[in-house]
């Protein structure tokens, strides 16, 4: 097997081998959206469920903040959805101005990171806009959470570009609508697909004319895979559109834990 592999390298060029290996990984990411080029973070199996808390935050377009917040120590998971507007929203209705806001639901370990620290991290990565859909908002589920959120807003923390904690508004809400599945872990799923398409452009532009990568068979394969990616992109937006309603989780013992 090793001898055959060495012969293949010598025959084709090393970068062809790298392309094949990477393509296999990317195709898996295309077929199974849960797989990506990124290695998933290793999380401890022993998690104290009593320490789990959630925060629902409007931070602008939810795709990037939902990924960035997973890199913060103590944050276990993020999900994206809608809150603060008419019942039973969809992405189309939210873009049409139904009053809902694109939000990130942050699940975090209260023994590792506090509610205020989650808000601090959110301030750093927020990219709010002028439309209500993208406003910087903190959705509170009860009086305690509203009080703590308002205290944080009143601190007047500010990042380098001038966005301040006081720019965030606190609103009460009781329901979180989990967004369509194709929005969940959006960039983790799209990045490998875009990487594959970019590799095709590089191959067709720079591959030597006598290389296997410039052969008719390779060109046909590139065309087929590109069509599959385009079809998958369209189909997941036509059929994978269920929005699920769930309670806006509260922080019932937030003040009590401070005393």
């Amino acid at each position: 097997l090793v001898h055959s592999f060495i012969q293949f390298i010598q025959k084709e060029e090393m970068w062809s081998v790298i392309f094949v290996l990477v393509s296999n990984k990317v195709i898996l990411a295309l077929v199974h959206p849960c797989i990506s080029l990124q290695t998933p973070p290793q999380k401890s199996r022993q998690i104290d469920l009593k320490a789990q808390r959630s925060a629902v935050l409007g931070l602008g377009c939810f795709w990037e903040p939902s990924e960035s917040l997973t890199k913060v120590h103590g944050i276990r998971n993020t999900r994206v959805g809608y809150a603060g507007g008419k019942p039973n929203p969809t992405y189309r209705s939210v873009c049409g101005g139904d009053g809902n806001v694109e939000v990130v639901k942050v699940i975090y370990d209260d023994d590792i990171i506090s509610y205020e620290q989650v808000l601090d991290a959110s301030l750093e990565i927020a990219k709010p806009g002028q439309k209500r859909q993208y406003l910087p908002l903190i959705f509170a589920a009860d009086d305690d959470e509203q009080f703590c959120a308002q205290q944080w807003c009143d601190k007047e923390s500010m990042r380098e570009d001038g966005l301040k904690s006081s720019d965030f508004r606190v609103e009460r809400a009781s329901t979180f609508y989990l967004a369509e599945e194709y929005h969940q872990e959006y960039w983790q799923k799209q990045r490998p697909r875009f990487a594959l398409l970019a590799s095709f452009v590089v191959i067709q532009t720079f591959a030597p004319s006598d290389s296997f990568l410039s052969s008719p068979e390779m060109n046909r394969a590139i065309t087929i895979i590109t069509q599959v990616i385009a079809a998958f992109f369209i189909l997941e937006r036509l059929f994978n559109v269920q929005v699920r309603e769930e309670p806006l989780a509260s922080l019932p013992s937030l003040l009590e834990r401070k005393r």
Side-chain angles (χ1 to χ4, degrees):
L1 180 63
V2 173
H3 179 68
S4 299
F5 183 70
I6 292 174
Q7 284 185 326
F8 180 73
I9 292 175
Q10 292 172 341
K11 180 180 179 181
E12 296 298 338
E13 303 160 351
M14 186 61 194
W15 68 298
S16 302
V17 180
I18 295 173
F19 167 75
V20 171
L21 295 175
V22 172
S23 295
N24 287 338
K25 180 72 173 178
V26 175
I27 291 171
L28 284 175
L30 173 65
V31 176
H32 195 301
C34 294
I35 302 174
S36 72
L37 288 176
Q38 297 178 339
T39 302
Q42 299 296 321
K43 298 179 181 179
S44 172
R45 293 185 177 182
Q46 296 183 348
I47 297 176
D48 183 4
L49 296 179
K50 294 181 180 179
Q52 301 306 292
R53 298 287 185 270
S54 69
V56 176
L57 311 168
L59 305 171
C61 177
F62 48 31
W63 291 339
E64 186 175 341
S66 64
E67 180 183 20
S68 299
L69 285 171
T70 59
K71 301 172 185 177
V72 177
H73 181 58
I75 291 179
R76 299 296 184 187
N77 193 18
T78 61
R79 300 291 276 169
V80 300
Y82 317 113
K86 295 179 180 179
N88 305 313
T90 64
Y91 185 62
R92 180 174 295 182
S93 72
V94 173
C95 293
D98 67 359
N100 279 285
V101 178
E102 292 190 20
V103 295
V104 180
K105 187 173 187 178
V106 184
I107 309 300
Y108 64 97
D109 190 327
D110 197 32
D111 286 340
I112 299 175
I113 185 172
S114 69
Y115 181 59
E116 289 81 1
Q117 288 172 324
V118 170
L119 296 180
D120 288 339
S122 300
L123 173 64
E124 292 301 316
I125 56 91
K127 293 185 176 180
Q130 298 299 316
K131 294 174 60 178
R132 175 169 170 79
Q133 177 184 354
Y134 301 126
L135 287 180
L137 288 167
I138 303 170
F139 287 97
D142 56 32
D143 291 338
D144 287 351
E145 189 172 347
Q146 183 173 5
F147 176 78
C148 292
Q150 194 59 59
Q151 275 197 325
W152 177 83
C153 292
D154 293 340
K155 287 196 313 181
E156 291 286 341
S157 300
M158 185 171 66
R159 69 185 193 189
E160 290 183 0
D161 65 356
L163 183 66
K164 298 179 290 186
S165 58
S166 59
D167 293 330
F168 282 72
R169 295 208 314 263
V170 181
E171 293 187 7
R172 290 291 291 269
S174 59
T175 306
F176 167 80
Y177 293 94
L178 185 68
E180 298 86 343
E181 182 59 33
Y182 66 87
H183 287 301
Q184 310 300 331
E185 298 182 335
Y186 183 83
W187 283 118
Q188 294 94 315
K189 291 184 290 190
Q190 297 299 337
R191 197 174 286 114
R193 301 171 190 174
F194 291 145
L196 182 57
L197 293 175
S199 70
F200 290 162
V201 173
V202 171
I203 288 170
Q204 294 183 326
T205 304
F206 298 106
S209 58
D210 58 347
S211 168
F212 164 73
L213 295 177
S214 296
S215 66
E217 293 80 7
M218 189 62 178
N219 287 332
R220 283 196 295 271
I222 288 176
T223 300
I224 292 171
I225 295 174
T226 302
Q227 291 173 344
V228 169
I229 292 175
F232 190 84
F233 186 86
I234 295 170
L235 290 174
E236 67 181 350
R237 281 158 175 75
L238 291 176
F239 298 105
N240 203 358
V241 294
Q242 182 180 3
V243 175
R244 189 170 73 241
E245 178 181 345
E246 57 186 55
L248 191 86
S250 63
L251 308 178
S253 58
L254 194 62
L255 295 178
E256 193 171 295
R257 290 170 73 90
K258 286 186 172 185
R259 295 192 183 103

